[in-house]
Amino acid sequence: MRKYIFNTYYTFLILGGLLLNSCTELDLVQQDAASSATWYQSKDQFRQSLNEGYREVFWPLDEVYEGMDDDWQRRDVLNAVKAGNISSEYAKSNTDWSNLYKGIARVLKVVNQLENQTVLNEVEASQFMGEANFLRASFYSYLITHFGDVPFYEEELTVDESFVVERTSKETIKQKLYEYYDNAAANLPVSYNGLKYATKGAAYAMKARLALYMGDYEIAAAAAQNCMDLDEYELYPNYAELFAPTTKNSVETIFHIPRNTDLNIIRNDNVRDFLPRNHGGYAGRNPTWELLASYECTDGLPIDESPLFDPQNPFKNRDPRLLATIAPFGSLEDGDGLAPDSGSNFMDIEYNPHPEAKLVRDYENNVDVRNQDTRSIGAFAAFNGLVFKKGVTKDWKDYRTDPDLIIVRYADVLLMYAEAKIELNQIDQSVLEALNAVRDRAYANSSFVNPEITTTNQEELRYKVRNERRAELAFEGRRYMDLIRWKLAEKALTGFTYGLLNVTADANTDVAPSGPLMSDLVDKDLWFWGETPEIDEDGLPDFTGLLNAGYCRTLNVITFPERQYLFPIPEEDRLLNPNLTQNSGY
């Protein structure tokens, strides 16, 4: 089913000319909308104007395209966040700020017309207002959670006003946003027939997210509960399949921005960076060793406590979501007959970063091919041996792919509910049921049984739910803000990124590899990890032992100064408007 709002949205782009402009003045006033004197004369025109709010540029993600957190890295290149050198000219924050205020300006144009219209009946007007409130609440939510105090206004600004507007306290703004979400929940339907727009469940879910980010746990728990009580959503039965480009608008999806290759709406970053080199990609964006180490073993214990963990087979006996997120290799479970130097079938070609695996199997053509994904062949193969698997399918091989951009899904709501109740110390069976429902789905298509969470200790459950969020939501744009709101960014994003020891690269498959990776690790039967990394009380892995033992190398130094808990206010806007103060440290 491909009934998307973009069918009408793209028509409107052509007719109305609603294109993002690029200017050197404050982007707080909408300059490019259709004139209200000639527009807003029918229900369809209101509909098309609201469709503008569903553009992907108005729904920025953290880390997925940037490498801002401890879940992925781009070889040994540092994003400004992990380099610790964010400034008021940081491109991402400036772009997000600009785009979101453009989105707000567009929504306010519709709000103003709704308050003065005569063409819609009461039900239609209420629903459109609910949708407008959902959109502006979501845009402002991103702004206050990332920038703190920001300019806030409920009516369209004149150009002159935009040059003098001041910042409003985020504590004041959030109360208005809760009201917007409440209005949206009261007036939006639970579901639609045909084209899909924001729903009652989306309003509850996004309110829960905002409240969780702001530390308002009672509000977060209540909003998540309201979403759950709709009985409209359920966990998709197959975790790995959920993220495939062919899985559209699933039963788990609460709110998403659809993509469609037929309409040239595709993933807007470089998909080749995620593809293995054996599939024509660059293997440049890699899951971190920290992410690999963070998944529990199948007995529910962290790797440094579980007797099931084997550092030479780091994917063995692990949470099944690991194998769905990072392309596995080596032995995966007892009795599979595989060894540390074994690869696995990934998109019909064996993935194996082992330096002696200079040939791998092309299962589709039943031949052996030169392994471009080992550093003994290609110097730019994954520096840490890891490539992403989550959502990556053969559909990506034409370098155009259109998976839904999932903004919020039901598993996230269950985890938000559980976390809020844990923080309130209101721990009951419903908390355990929410956590275990997510884990049950993770284990459903594996040979393992979910080691259910049974503890009711607040500290233990806090650890569990945080680790659960990392495992469940990896690479979905949530980890960065989790680290920010848990005040763990300074700890998690300070130190080093790690990778494999160096090895000589020679494309000749008959030439045996040499170098420290061979002499200090492989020849000692210590591939992949020479020893088990330690996991601290916050669930953060520590590779100091491996580094000191000479089993790995650092790729670069990372640092997160305290000022970066908030993005800076863009310098260009502050030069134009002297009333815009700056966040501390910038």
Side-chain angles (χ1 to χ4, degrees):
M1 179 177 67
R2 295 201 174 196
K3 295 182 177 180
Y4 296 148
I5 58 172
F6 287 83
N7 295 344
T8 56
Y9 160 63
Y10 265 82
T11 300
F12 186 47
L13 279 185
I14 297 171
L15 296 177
L18 278 176
L19 300 175
L20 285 179
N21 57 2
S22 175
C23 58
T24 57
E25 60 185 40
L26 293 175
D27 291 310
L28 305 182
V29 183
Q30 183 177 3
Q31 302 289 347
D32 54 2
S35 169
S36 58
T38 57
W39 198 250
Y40 302 106
Q41 301 300 309
S42 69
K43 177 182 178 180
D44 186 56
Q45 289 174 335
F46 275 99
R47 173 71 271 155
Q48 292 181 26
S49 295
L50 280 174
N51 284 354
E52 176 74 355
Y54 296 91
R55 299 183 65 183
E56 189 168 328
V57 294
F58 298 145
W59 299 90
L61 287 178
D62 298 318
E63 90 248 4
V64 172
Y65 306 142
E66 288 274 327
M68 296 161 59
D69 66 8
D70 56 347
D71 277 356
W72 80 269
Q73 63 196 52
R74 192 178 190 279
R75 296 197 180 105
D76 60 352
V77 177
L78 280 185
N79 168 268
V81 171
K82 292 198 291 193
N85 60 14
I86 284 182
S87 73
S88 57
E89 297 179 353
Y90 177 42
K92 174 179 168 53
S93 61
N94 288 6
T95 298
D96 291 348
W97 170 283
S98 176
N99 285 343
L100 287 164
Y101 274 113
K102 289 173 183 177
I104 290 166
R106 284 152 172 74
V107 173
L108 289 180
K109 173 70 71 175
V110 181
V111 168
N112 179 64
Q113 293 299 319
L114 285 170
E115 291 173 342
N116 299 282
Q117 63 81 34
T118 59
V119 299
L120 303 174
N121 63 42
E122 184 177 350
V123 173
E124 292 170 339
S126 295
Q127 183 171 319
F128 281 157
M129 184 63 79
E131 194 173 336
N133 281 331
F134 170 83
L135 293 171
R136 61 173 163 172
S138 298
F139 299 161
Y140 268 121
S141 291
Y142 186 95
L143 285 168
I144 67 170
T145 55
H146 289 70
F147 294 90
D149 303 341
V150 298
F152 176 76
Y153 42 93
E154 298 185 274
E155 297 180 359
E156 296 177 85
L157 295 183
T158 65
V159 172
D160 288 342
E161 288 172 334
S162 72
F163 287 108
V164 296
V165 64
E166 298 179 351
R167 298 168 70 185
T168 301
S169 165
K170 65 180 180 181
E171 297 298 320
T172 299
I173 297 172
K174 74 175 183 181
Q175 298 300 333
K176 292 297 299 186
L177 304 189
Y178 293 150
E179 292 177 15
Y180 291 161
Y181 280 130
D182 288 342
N183 174 269
N187 291 291
L188 292 176
V190 174
S191 62
Y192 294 88
N193 292 320
L195 303 181
K196 310 297 181 184
Y197 307 98
T199 61
K200 189 182 299 290
Y204 287 138
M206 294 298 286
K207 181 183 179 182
R209 176 176 290 167
L210 172 61
L212 198 67
Y213 284 7
M214 301 303 292
D216 295 331
Y217 298 117
E218 289 188 5
I219 295 173
Q225 182 71 69
N226 287 338
C227 183
M228 294 155 60
D229 288 345
L230 293 174
D231 291 328
E232 177 69 12
Y233 311 103
E234 59 187 82
L235 296 174
Y236 190 81
N238 188 307
Y239 179 81
E241 189 178 283
L242 172 62
F243 308 100
T246 53
T247 304
K248 300 291 187 183
N249 194 27
S250 78
V251 294
E252 184 169 340
T253 301
I254 297 174
F255 183 70
H256 73 287
I257 305 299
R259 297 180 176 124
N260 187 322
T261 53
D262 294 338
L263 296 176
N264 200 36
I265 306 170
I266 59 175
R267 189 183 177 106
N268 64 4
D269 58 340
N270 188 351
V271 300
R272 294 186 73 174
D273 252 356
F274 298 94
L275 283 171
R277 299 174 73 84
N278 286 330
H279 292 275
Y282 304 142
R285 303 192 188 192
N286 314 117
T288 59
W289 279 10
E290 285 82 1
L291 179 61
L292 172 58
S294 69
Y295 288 84
E296 294 177 346
C297 289
T298 53
D299 55 7
L301 296 174
I303 61 173
D304 62 342
E305 296 180 18
S306 174
L308 299 179
F309 183 69
D310 178 358
Q312 279 73 64
N313 289 292
F315 292 90
K316 186 176 183 178
N317 299 326
R318 304 291 298 280
D319 183 327
R321 286 170 294 193
L322 168 58
L323 278 66
T325 302
I326 303 176
F329 47 84
S331 176
L332 307 183
E333 59 182 279
D334 292 335
D336 62 11
L338 300 176
D341 61 354
S342 299
S344 67
N345 188 338
F346 183 27
M347 298 189 295
D348 291 331
I349 298 178
E350 179 186 355
Y351 180 75
N352 192 347
H354 195 286
E356 293 180 320
K358 301 190 80 169
L359 291 172
V360 290
R361 194 66 175 171
D362 179 339
Y363 297 101
E364 186 173 28
N365 297 299
N366 200 31
V367 295
D368 289 334
V369 296
R370 189 166 58 185
N371 184 10
Q372 303 291 342
D373 282 308
T374 179
R375 300 201 70 230
S376 62
I377 289 284
F380 285 92
F383 284 15
N384 64 4
L386 306 181
V387 295
F388 273 111
K389 182 180 179 183
K390 189 173 184 177
V392 180
T393 68
K394 292 177 72 173
D395 170 81
W396 290 48
K397 293 185 69 171
D398 62 359
Y399 315 137
R400 290 170 51 85
T401 186
D402 61 355
D404 286 346
L405 174 58
I406 299 175
I407 305 299
V408 63
R409 58 186 177 92
Y410 190 53
D412 195 358
V413 170
L414 292 174
L415 295 177
M416 289 192 289
Y417 171 79
E419 182 179 350
K421 297 286 280 186
I422 291 167
E423 292 302 325
L424 292 167
N425 206 15
Q426 297 175 359
I427 298 166
D428 56 20
Q429 189 60 30
S430 69
V431 173
L432 300 182
E433 288 174 354
L435 289 170
N436 284 316
V438 175
R439 291 164 67 92
D440 284 341
R441 188 269 300 276
Y443 280 81
N445 297 284
S446 74
S447 59
F448 301 106
V449 176
N450 170 25
E452 291 191 349
I453 296 173
T454 59
T455 182
T456 56
N457 178 276
Q458 186 185 35
E459 286 296 322
E460 293 175 358
L461 280 174
R462 180 179 290 125
Y463 177 96
K464 284 289 188 181
V465 74
R466 291 182 176 187
N467 210 51
E468 196 65 22
R469 285 187 64 81
R470 188 173 196 180
E472 176 70 22
L473 302 172
F475 199 47
E476 295 182 45
R478 303 290 156 240
R479 176 67 176 173
Y480 174 77
M481 278 306 298
D482 282 351
L483 291 175
I484 293 294
R485 63 191 181 85
W486 294 333
K487 296 299 181 183
L488 287 177
E490 286 174 274
K491 184 178 182 180
L493 303 180
T494 296
F496 303 97
T497 58
Y498 298 91
L500 296 169
L501 295 170
N502 286 317
V503 63
T504 56
D506 193 319
N508 187 337
T509 58
D510 294 326
V511 174
S514 61
L517 183 60
M518 294 301 300
S519 59
D520 297 344
L521 203 72
V522 175
D523 292 345
K524 296 179 181 179
D525 294 327
L526 293 175
W527 168 270
F528 176 72
W529 280 336
E531 62 181 50
T532 300
E534 294 184 0
I535 309 296
D536 73 10
E537 67 278 4
D538 293 310
L540 301 176
D542 182 358
F543 291 91
T544 303
L546 281 82
L547 183 64
N548 291 341
Y551 297 147
C552 67
R553 65 187 176 106
T554 60
L555 300 179
N556 41 39
V557 179
I558 60 174
T559 185
F560 188 92
E562 185 177 2
R563 71 172 187 274
Q564 290 186 177
Y565 276 102
L566 288 176
F567 283 164
I569 306 302
E571 185 62 25
E572 184 177 81
D573 285 9
R574 294 189 65 244
L575 289 173
L576 293 167
N577 178 359
N579 290 336
L580 288 180
T581 57
Q582 183 58 277
N583 285 325
S584 177
Y586 292 104

